[in-house]
Amino acid sequence: AAFPPPPKTTSSGSANAPASRLNDLCVHHPEATYFVRAASDSMTGDAIFPGDVLVVDSAIEPGDDKIVVVWLGTDHCVKRLK
């Protein structure tokens, strides 16, 4: 089965633009959301591979068994919180 074609967009970027729909799906707290690129292979067991772009919502409280991004200065690591 083939994938449906992407919706037509206008030069002004209609609400049906793919990027707008992606934001609607992934960004629930725009003021607290950022993107980070996975840098190592330490999370491949959770299907996070080097180069993957992760959507990070810092408004969500970290909790047991959640995946978190930890910043140490300008470096970051991605781990499952236990």
Side-chain angles (χ1 to χ4, degrees):
F3 290 103
K8 302 285 185 212
T9 59
T10 64
S11 61
S12 64
S14 72
N16 292 328
S20 295
R21 290 187 297 161
L22 184 60
N23 281 341
D24 291 341
L25 290 171
C26 297
V27 179
H28 301 288
H29 303 104
E31 66 286 346
T33 300
Y34 60 95
F35 300 88
V36 66
R37 193 171 295 276
S40 76
D41 62 0
S42 67
M43 294 294 291
T44 57
D46 286 297
I48 298 173
F49 299 95
D52 284 355
V53 175
L54 309 175
V55 179
V56 181
D57 186 339
S58 59
I60 298 173
E61 289 292 321
D64 192 37
D65 212 35
K66 298 282 186 183
I67 295 174
V68 298
V69 177
V70 178
W71 287 92
L72 305 166
T74 58
D75 295 324
H76 69 279
C77 63
V78 179
K79 297 294 178 194
R80 182 169 295 279
L81 197 59
K82 297 283 182 180

